[in-house]
Amino acid sequence: MKSSNQYPSLLDKTILITGGGTSIGACLVEAFLQQGAKVAFIDILDEASNALVEQLNQRYQSTTVKYYRCDLVDIPALQQVITEVEQDLGSISVLINNAACDQRHKLEEVTPEYWDHCIDTNLKHYFFAAQAVRLQMCKLGGGSIINLGSMSWHKNQGGMAGYTASKAGVMGLTRGLAADLGKDHIRINTLTPGWVMTQRQLTHWVDKDTAKYIEANQCIKDYVMPEDIAAMALFLASDDSKLCTSQNFIVDGGWI
C-alpha cells in the first residue's frame, strides 16, 4: 500500500532498518522506497530478504535497496555493517531499530543464557546501532532514530518476560539517549505498535477468540496493519517531526 503522504525531506536520504526482511520491517523498507529514499536493511533470513530485494527492484526500478546479512547479537559485525552502509549508500540519516523476537517462554524454563539472549536480541543492539550511526548523522547535521517498542508490557502480558522486559527497556533507552543526542540535532523516539496483523501473528497466535479479544479492547475496531506502523515511521523520520524527541508514539487503535 502506497503512503497517502509524501515527505520531500526523505528524498535521497539513506535509511537503515533492522529486521527488514519480513513482516513490519519489509513494509517499512517499501514505504521508504516509495519516498525516494535509499534503503539498507539488516536481517538473517536470506531467502526472504533476497526475494524482497528482487521484488522491490522490479516494482521500483529507479530506487536503491540493499540487504546486509548480520546477526544483530554480534555487535562488532553490526558496527561493520553500519560502516559498509555509509560506504555504499552515504551517511545514514534515519535508523529504525525494528528487529526483535517475541517468542513465548515459560517462567520456570528461562535460564540465564536464554535471558541474556532475549536482552541481546530485543534491546542491546538498539543502543549499539544508535551509537554507531551517531557520527554519520552528525556529518549530516542531524537525523532520526526510531526504536520499535511493544504494547505487551503496558498491558501486563505474561508468558514472555524476557521480551516484555526488553521492550520496557526500549522506552528507557529512548528517553535516556534523547538529551545526549539532542545537542547534535538527532531526535530519538519510540514507536509502539498495537497487535499488528502480520503473517507471523496470524499463523501462531491469532484465532477467532483472540480476534474477538482485540476487537473488545481497541477503541477503533479495525485491525492494526504493518502499513499503519510505517505511516507513523515516515512522519518520525521526516523533517516534519523535527522537534519530536524522547516521546512514545502509540499506534494501537486506542488499546493502551
Side-chain angles (χ1 to χ4, degrees):
M1 179 185 296
K2 187 173 179 61
S3 172
S4 59
N5 292 322
Q6 287 296 119
Y7 296 96
S9 62
L10 295 176
L11 183 64
D12 293 327
K13 293 291 180 66
T14 299
I15 317 296
L16 175 60
I17 300 167
T18 68
T22 61
S23 194
I24 295 173
C27 185
L28 289 167
V29 170
E30 183 167 11
F32 280 93
L33 282 179
Q34 291 172 349
Q35 298 290 326
K38 296 174 289 184
V39 183
F41 71 93
I42 295 172
D43 215 305
I44 57 172
L45 301 176
D46 288 335
E47 183 175 354
S49 297
N50 287 321
L52 178 64
V53 170
E54 182 177 357
Q55 178 187 65
L56 294 176
N57 279 332
Q58 292 175 355
R59 191 176 300 166
Y60 308 101
Q61 296 181 3
S62 62
T63 59
T64 300
V65 56
K66 289 183 68 68
Y67 162 51
Y68 296 81
R69 191 185 199 285
C70 176
D71 187 342
L72 292 167
V73 303
D74 184 345
I75 299 304
L78 170 61
Q79 293 165 333
Q80 179 59 37
V81 165
I82 289 173
T83 298
E84 291 175 8
V85 171
E86 183 179 35
Q87 294 169 347
D88 294 341
L89 302 180
S91 295
I92 295 165
S93 179
V94 177
L95 166 67
I96 304 181
N97 282 317
N98 164 71
C101 180
D102 62 350
Q103 190 65 41
R104 276 53 171 174
H105 41 265
K106 294 181 179 179
L107 174 66
E108 62 273 14
E109 295 177 355
V110 174
T111 64
E113 294 75 19
Y114 184 76
W115 180 265
D116 289 344
H117 177 74
C118 288
I119 301 299
D120 289 351
T121 302
N122 298 314
L123 177 61
K124 182 178 179 179
H125 72 270
Y126 281 34
F127 171 81
F128 285 99
Q131 181 191 64
V133 301
R134 180 182 183 181
L135 290 180
Q136 295 189 30
M137 291 182 176
C138 286
K139 295 176 187 178
L140 300 170
S144 175
I145 299 173
I146 303 167
N147 294 327
L148 269 287
S150 172
M151 67 177 290
S152 58
W153 67 273
H154 289 273
K155 68 182 190 68
N156 302 331
Q157 182 169 332
M160 50 198 305
Y163 178 77
T164 53
S166 302
K167 286 300 186 177
V170 168
M171 183 87 76
L173 178 65
T174 293
R175 295 188 65 82
L177 288 180
D180 295 331
L181 298 172
K183 59 181 177 289
D184 297 319
H185 291 92
I186 299 170
R187 56 199 187 278
I188 180 168
N189 292 287
T190 301
L191 198 176
T192 296
W195 200 333
V196 184
M197 294 298 102
T198 63
Q199 189 57 53
R200 175 178 170 82
Q201 297 299 317
L202 292 170
T203 299
H204 294 286
W205 296 297
V206 177
D207 55 23
K208 291 182 179 179
D209 290 335
T210 52
K212 291 179 181 178
Y213 178 64
I214 292 169
E215 182 177 353
N217 282 278
Q218 288 185 189
C219 297
I220 298 174
K221 306 306 179 183
D222 297 337
Y223 282 145
V224 180
M225 302 302 292
E227 291 82 3
D228 300 311
I229 310 307
M232 180 60 78
L234 290 174
F235 168 71
L236 293 174
S238 74
D239 289 351
D240 295 57
S241 63
K242 64 185 179 66
L243 287 177
C244 296
T245 196
S246 191
Q247 303 304 309
N248 180 30
F249 293 84
I250 303 172
V251 183
D252 72 344
W255 192 326
I256 59 176

